[in-house]
Amino acid sequence: MIGLRMPIASGLFAAATLLVGLHGAQAQNQITIGAVVPSSGPFAEWGRANTVTLKMLEKQVNDAGGINGAKLKLVILDDGAKPAQAANALRKLAGDDKVLAVAGPLTSSACEVTFPVANQMEVVTTSQASSKPGVAKANRPWAFRNTIDEGILAKTSVPYFKKTFGVKSVAVIYDAKDAVSTSIATKIMPAVFKADGIAVSNENDLISFNTGDLDVSAQVTKLKSLNPDGVVIGADYSQAITVIREMKRQGLVKPVIGGTPLISSAILKAAPEIPVIAPATFYATMKGPKAEKFVAELWPLLKKESGLPPEIEPSMYDANIYEIVSMYIDAVKKTGITGKPDQLAAERVKLRDYMAKLKGYEGLGGSIHFSEDGDAIKSFFIVQGEKGAWSTKVTACSTEGGC
Amino acid sequence: MSTYYAGLFADVGILLLGALSVYIILATGQLSLGNAGFMGVGAYLASYLTVELHWPVTPALIAAAVAAAAIGVIVGFPALRLKGIYLAMATLGFGEMVRSFFLVFEPTGGSGGYRGMPHVSLGYIWLWAGGILVLVLVLERSRLWLEMRAIHDDETAAGLIGLNTTATKIGAFGFGAAVAAICGGLFAHHYVYIEPGNFGFERSIDFVLAVILGGSTVGAGALIGALLLVLLPEWLRFLVDWRLAAFGVLLILVLLTRRQGILDRALIARLTFRRRAAA
Amino acid sequence: MLLQQLVNGLTLGAVYTLIALSFSLVMGILSILNLAIGELFMLGGYLGFALIAAHVPLPIALVAGMAGAALIGIVIEKIAYQPLRDAPLITPMLSTLGFSIILQNVVTNVWGSDPLQLPPELFDTRLPLGPISVGMMQLVVIAVAVVLVASVAFLLQKTSAGRALRAVAENRDVARLLGVSAGRVTMLAFAISGALAGAAGVLISLHYAAITPYIGVDTGLKAIAVMVIGGTTRVWGALLAGPLIGIAEVLTIAYGGSQARDLVVYGLMILILLLRPQGLLGGARTDIGQRV
């Protein structure tokens, strides 16, 4: 239904601006920021929730009088989680819509092809979710990610996992079709576990399945036969749900550990008696004044959205994209970006330098800055999902010496 | 032209080559649902040559095309035993096998993908796409093409009148595979990143779709089909959440109203006649 | 472990059997690939899910899922196949693809893209059987698959509708001369095919207890391989090929080759196509493969 509502709304908006123009009023300065989110396809829910988040932010900023008197305009494009569409969406935003900077795309595959375009067109592009190692690093200086490299996160999550569950051996199962999952499960986790003195039972025969598999019973039977104390799942949450449900069905009730792709409210319902350990930078029930305010504002809007299921919650990626655009707005305020078309190229450089030199920006869960690789240095939590809820067990920072 | 449309036209050029690769094979009455496999071979091989061995792009593309043509011929031989939809399903299996292969093949990154290729310009892509399109259009006026169509229409009769159906069919597979490989090579050097998921069944189907929508009886149809498949999803953006469903509806409508594809000989004749009349 | 793996393989095989048979009914009679079958399967799953979650008993949910998918199957036949029946075989194949795109989009908009999960209280109960354990749903899946295949075989062999179907499969023109209404027959084929895919959907969504709008894509492709291996001319072929592929998959995973699984399945399919194009159980048939 919003398919019909939105064009009408934007049409009215366009008509309104046109009228203002006709009345001869001085054309107000405008800051245009773009976003690429997957509102169709397999990650539609995330993209649609991201869209609601961004529209909320846009309204908040403009209701409060805009940025330095200029109006904020967000142009949000859907990439269907398809890399080619993401790259073209960035070309449209940077070339046609003349945006100052872009938030997105969500998947690492899309980032891989979109970040080179960001460098080519010289526009800051910051992903809200990609955590595949090295994607921003390969595309300096215009690519950023408001996420933490999975390799850093595992160094905190694994010791907690070991201590809490007295784990002496783990077995690995992963989604071989997905790049992030593969790197978490085949490279990052086994190395960290071994360094911590924990045996990986199937080190030479990691068990895999493919995205879209409906049946993982054979894999789980094999997992069970290894009799591990804990299970490493390298998969995004929707595939991990299939694995955890099968574990429950086969009576393999052992704690699970994975990377950030596991974080979601849906995974908590898969098997409440199986504890899930994962790193997160945000989750809907987290504490802290900024985060709680964000959740309180966003949640009702998400529930109202017709393209989203009723049990939707604000996600980590909503928080990340909110932070990204807030950072851009902060840059505009602090560096005196005007949004004038003739200064676009220079102001894009200003914004890039602001992002690179960012110090102590207050995000929803603590301060944020970026490493030389373009990845966020921010605090994160090791959270434990059990009996239907996440709770923070460890708070840490993605760099030595605190955030 | 805006960078946005430049990006879209690069996609059109790449899809045009993929569509032509299907069109050439289809001209002999063989439907391939596995051309993304040839495309994948071309993409990975050309990228390996430019990244690891520092070859310039053009020789890398040619080498990839030759290698894929060889694979095409090898696939073409057993394919002779199969006809129609059974051949289509065998090629589908071939495509899925290639994809699964690159998923586990570590030297080119497996599921982690492969990057580091030099970027090619829109002009360069269209030099290849346009060149091969012209080549196909010229071929369409040759005796060889008549023989291919004859095999398409009635293979037994074509054999009876002394046409070498085996050589023609296998040659078509080899040529189609080479074109698909160039398509893959250009894709890799346009996006400067590839992963096995790029070369799945969905891609193969896109190629076939471009041919059938555009018009499967004339080479220029592939161009119309490629334009439509790239631009339509972009133009439907205003439908937001219903974009893909609308695309599906339009797809069915086009097939229902023009089952021979948008472009056919009759339409071309009418268009050119009108233009002549106007002049 | 081997025994347990065989049970896993048989369950997966039963699902493959149903979807493969669904493909095979349309394929054997009309020689077209209905690319929307994966989505009919997915739709059946969502319908079954919605009903079970509303505490409708399983048999009724199963029938409703079958009916829903059969209905959409008929719509596909009327819109995507019937007007294009004289066109080359690729054209109706692509118009069914259009339906598959639409169904995915509609289901995403209605139920969301996140996996729908059955509440734990409706979860499967397990029966310990010596060293292994078998889920109630696993038994139901296998039993329903066998019953449905048997019913389809009965329908094709013993009823007049079945005879008409076989006559059209053999030779459409001759069948029409003999007074068979080819239009009604193709509609019947699409309806039964849809019902089978829908049944498979209901069964798996309850067995695996989680479902997404994209579940039909890869399962559909696998089922095509199963159909080819079983052959399209004999109904029982699917019942042999489904478990065969299911067990082949499970064993490749069990013995160290989870990465090679798809290579094995599609390799097997190509091998069968080259050595026995009529499939494992297919009889001799001269006109295999119409022109495209």
Side-chain angles (χ1 to χ4, degrees):
Chain A
M1 296 310 112
I2 70 168
L4 294 174
R5 226 183 281 149
M6 280 192 359
I8 295 173
S10 55
L12 285 176
F13 177 67
T17 30
L18 199 69
L19 281 176
V20 173
L22 285 177
H23 278 283
Q26 179 66 39
Q28 202 183 9
N29 263 351
Q30 184 171 275
I31 303 288
T32 317
I33 290 171
V36 182
V37 299
S39 302
S40 53
F43 299 115
E45 245 157 82
W46 284 350
R48 290 172 190 186
N50 278 176
T51 306
V52 175
T53 310
L54 291 175
K55 293 206 170 284
M56 175 185 87
L57 177 60
E58 185 181 30
K59 189 168 178 300
Q60 285 173 351
V61 169
N62 287 332
D63 287 352
I67 317 163
N68 295 344
K71 245 180 122 55
L72 171 67
K73 187 185 170 209
L74 293 181
V75 185
I76 305 164
L77 294 182
D78 168 28
D79 68 1
K82 288 188 175 146
Q85 288 201 12
N88 283 326
L90 179 62
R91 286 193 183 94
K92 181 170 192 306
L93 291 170
D96 292 10
D97 299 318
K98 314 263 183 245
V99 300
L100 183 64
V102 174
L106 188 133
T107 65
S108 289
S109 294
C111 287
E112 289 272 17
V113 302
T114 308
F115 285 168
V117 178
N119 276 324
Q120 206 182 322
M121 303 193 71
E122 306 195 328
V123 59
V124 168
T125 303
T126 310
S127 172
Q128 72 273 41
S130 160
S131 60
K132 176 180 170 187
V135 179
K137 189 182 177 180
N139 294 289
R140 303 305 299 147
W142 294 90
F144 293 88
R145 299 191 297 181
N146 187 17
T147 55
I148 305 169
D149 195 307
E150 294 290 345
I152 295 166
L153 298 168
K155 285 185 189 133
T156 308
S157 61
V158 167
Y160 171 76
F161 189 67
K162 178 185 172 184
K163 191 185 79 196
T164 314
F165 301 104
V167 175
K168 295 197 178 56
S169 70
V170 291
V172 177
I173 177 168
Y174 71 103
D175 180 348
K177 217 168 164 180
D178 182 60
V180 190
S181 307
T182 306
S183 73
I184 291 174
T186 65
K187 299 196 178 82
I188 296 169
M189 285 285 185
V192 181
F193 270 110
K194 275 203 292 191
D196 228 7
I198 295 169
V200 179
S201 319
N202 58 342
E203 199 183 338
N204 299 314
D205 178 24
L206 301 177
I207 303 168
S208 70
F209 59 95
N210 284 339
T211 318
D213 277 357
L214 63 101
D215 181 291
V216 290
S217 59
Q219 286 91 334
V220 171
T221 300
K222 198 173 169 189
L223 211 55
K224 199 179 169 192
S225 75
L226 295 166
N227 198 22
D229 300 331
V231 177
V232 176
I233 301 185
D236 80 39
Y237 70 100
S238 78
Q239 294 299 320
I241 285 171
T242 318
V243 176
I244 292 174
R245 291 231 131 178
E246 187 64 37
M247 282 171 59
K248 178 184 157 127
R249 185 176 308 112
Q250 297 196 14
L252 179 62
V253 180
K254 290 287 161 67
V256 164
I257 183 170
T260 47
L262 289 188
I263 297 290
S264 71
S265 45
I267 201 169
L268 295 170
K269 284 179 273 173
E273 67 270 41
I274 296 181
V276 178
I277 305 298
T281 53
F282 172 90
Y283 57 96
T285 47
M286 83 184 243
K287 299 281 172 269
K290 277 195 121 173
E292 281 169 33
K293 178 169 176 284
F294 171 73
V295 171
E297 286 165 349
L298 180 59
W299 211 333
L301 297 175
L302 288 177
K303 283 183 183 297
K304 257 192 347 209
E305 188 71 22
S306 63
L308 290 168
E311 65 276 10
I312 186 97
E313 284 180 2
S315 77
M316 177 159 77
Y317 305 124
D318 296 331
N320 286 352
I321 205 165
Y322 183 87
E323 286 175 343
I324 293 167
V325 177
S326 302
M327 269 182 236
Y328 292 162
I329 293 170
D330 194 53
V332 172
K333 283 182 184 156
K334 293 221 169 101
T335 62
I337 287 171
T338 58
K340 289 195 179 111
D342 54 331
Q343 294 186 23
L344 185 63
E347 293 189 332
R348 280 178 178 171
V349 174
K350 258 190 199 170
L351 190 124
R352 182 199 70 195
D353 293 344
Y354 166 88
M355 292 288 280
K357 292 188 200 117
L358 190 68
K359 278 277 171 290
Y361 176 82
E362 272 309 306
L364 296 173
S367 86
I368 305 174
H369 64 280
F370 291 94
S371 71
E372 275 179 21
D373 295 345
D375 289 342
I377 293 179
K378 61 202 260 190
S379 47
F380 63 91
F381 319 101
I382 302 304
V383 295
Q384 182 166 337
E386 211 171 2
K387 309 213 162 46
W390 293 112
S391 56
T392 302
K393 298 296 176 183
V394 184
T395 304
C397 176
S398 63
T399 188
E400 310 271 319
C403 285
Chain B
M1 180 168 42
S2 75
T3 342
Y4 169 48
Y5 270 89
L8 294 181
F9 281 122
D11 283 348
V12 173
I14 291 165
L15 181 55
L16 168 62
L17 286 172
L20 285 174
S21 77
V22 167
Y23 177 69
I24 293 160
I25 299 175
L26 193 64
T28 57
Q30 309 179 94
L31 172 62
S32 172
L33 289 180
N35 275 21
F38 296 122
M39 178 190 179
V41 169
Y44 273 102
L45 191 55
S47 303
Y48 191 83
L49 292 175
T50 56
V51 175
E52 308 291 333
L53 307 179
H54 308 291
W55 284 30
V57 178
T58 309
L61 284 178
I62 294 170
V66 171
I71 297 174
V73 168
I74 294 169
V75 172
F77 267 107
L80 290 172
R81 289 174 56 98
L82 299 168
K83 291 200 181 74
I85 207 78
Y86 288 86
L87 172 68
M89 289 186 294
T91 53
L92 183 161
F94 165 77
E96 285 300 292
M97 284 182 79
V98 171
R99 192 184 54 72
S100 313
F101 170 78
F102 282 115
L103 210 48
V104 295
F105 190 62
E106 279 304 319
T108 51
S111 65
Y114 195 66
R115 59 165 105 94
M117 292 73 94
H119 182 257
V120 293
S121 66
L122 174 66
Y124 184 78
I125 292 172
W126 273 93
L127 215 60
W128 278 101
I132 291 174
L133 178 63
V134 169
L135 188 66
V136 169
L137 292 178
V138 169
L139 182 70
E140 275 187 336
R141 298 179 186 279
S142 70
R143 190 187 146 75
L144 179 61
W145 193 262
L146 283 179
E147 293 185 13
M148 286 166 81
R149 295 304 299 188
I151 293 168
H152 173 272
D153 293 339
D154 193 334
E155 192 179 338
T156 323
L160 284 176
I161 59 166
L163 297 180
N164 187 344
T165 58
T166 307
T168 312
K169 284 173 77 174
I170 287 176
F173 243 100
F175 187 23
V179 172
I182 289 170
C183 159
L186 290 171
F187 175 88
H189 290 84
H190 172 64
Y191 284 107
V192 300
Y193 169 79
I194 47 174
E195 58 185 17
N198 295 143
F199 312 109
F201 177 65
E202 210 182 323
R203 180 83 57 184
S204 296
I205 273 285
D206 267 357
F207 293 169
V208 178
L209 207 51
V211 171
I212 301 300
L213 280 183
S216 58
T217 50
V218 283
L223 178 61
I224 304 288
L227 273 169
L228 209 62
L229 281 193
V230 171
L231 296 179
L232 207 54
E234 294 292 321
W235 290 341
L236 292 174
R237 280 192 178 280
F238 70 96
L239 292 169
V240 200
D241 291 355
W242 296 94
R243 180 161 73 115
L244 293 177
F247 177 76
V249 170
L250 283 176
L251 165 66
I252 295 171
L253 282 179
V254 171
L255 289 173
L256 287 180
T257 48
R258 285 196 73 81
R259 62 169 65 175
Q260 73 280 40
I262 291 173
L263 210 61
D264 59 0
R265 283 184 196 290
L267 187 69
I268 292 177
R270 249 180 35 217
L271 289 175
T272 45
F273 177 70
R274 259 188 215 154
R275 221 174 284 153
R276 261 179 231 146
Chain C
M1 184 173 96
L2 181 64
L3 267 177
Q4 185 72 59
Q5 289 292 29
L6 289 178
V7 173
N8 294 337
L10 279 177
T11 318
L12 180 61
V15 175
Y16 282 160
T17 295
L18 286 177
I19 311 176
L21 193 54
S22 171
F23 272 107
S24 146
L25 271 172
V26 178
M27 178 75 192
I29 291 165
L30 311 163
S31 290
I32 72 154
L33 266 180
N34 178 358
L35 290 176
I37 282 177
E39 277 58 46
L40 290 177
F41 159 72
M42 175 271 287
L43 186 72
Y46 272 94
L47 290 175
F49 232 102
L51 292 169
I52 290 285
H55 301 286
V56 172
L58 173 61
I60 298 176
L62 183 64
V63 171
M66 288 172 75
L71 196 70
I72 304 289
I74 292 173
V75 172
I76 293 175
E77 193 265 348
K78 287 280 169 252
I79 296 175
Y81 174 72
Q82 202 49 250
L84 294 170
R85 62 182 184 281
D86 306 323
L89 297 174
I90 320 173
T91 316
M93 179 179 91
L94 293 178
S95 61
T96 60
L97 177 76
F99 268 97
S100 114
I101 297 172
I102 297 170
L103 285 173
Q104 280 175 6
N105 196 174
V106 169
V107 170
T108 303
N109 286 0
V110 173
W111 280 290
S113 63
D114 260 8
L116 207 59
Q117 301 180 65
L118 213 58
E121 68 265 21
L122 295 170
F123 223 68
D124 199 7
T125 47
R126 286 189 85 79
L127 312 169
L129 257 168
I132 60 167
S133 73
V134 182
M136 271 305 283
M137 269 312 291
Q138 266 174 318
L139 294 178
V140 172
V141 170
I142 296 171
V144 172
V146 173
V147 168
L148 284 176
V149 173
S151 328
V152 171
F154 175 81
L155 187 123
L156 286 182
Q157 298 300 327
K158 306 284 181 205
T159 64
S160 61
R163 275 190 288 275
L165 273 167
R166 280 185 296 140
V168 174
E170 223 35 73
N171 190 322
R172 191 187 174 95
D173 297 326
V174 172
R176 280 168 86 165
L177 284 177
L178 293 173
V180 175
S181 160
R184 292 226 333 249
V185 164
T186 53
M187 195 179 89
L188 186 66
F190 271 87
I192 301 174
S193 154
L196 288 172
V202 175
L203 293 177
I204 67 99
S205 69
L206 301 187
H207 172 50
Y208 300 108
I211 188 171
T212 75
Y214 298 87
I215 203 155
V217 181
D218 288 293
T219 314
L221 283 185
K222 282 277 174 61
I224 292 179
V226 173
M227 169 190 75
V228 167
I229 292 167
T232 56
T233 49
R234 293 277 193 286
V235 170
W236 298 102
L239 197 56
L240 177 70
L244 190 74
I245 290 295
I247 287 170
E249 274 196 20
V250 160
L251 292 185
T252 11
I253 294 163
Y255 295 102
S258 46
Q259 296 257 26
R261 188 195 59 182
D262 286 5
L263 280 173
V264 170
V265 173
Y266 291 107
L268 208 58
M269 159 176 147
I270 292 180
L271 210 63
I272 291 282
L273 272 173
L274 295 177
L275 300 177
R276 258 186 92 77
Q278 70 275 41
L280 284 178
L281 278 195
R285 198 171 151 191
T286 45
D287 63 333
I288 274 245
Q290 292 184 21
R291 275 188 5 215
V292 283

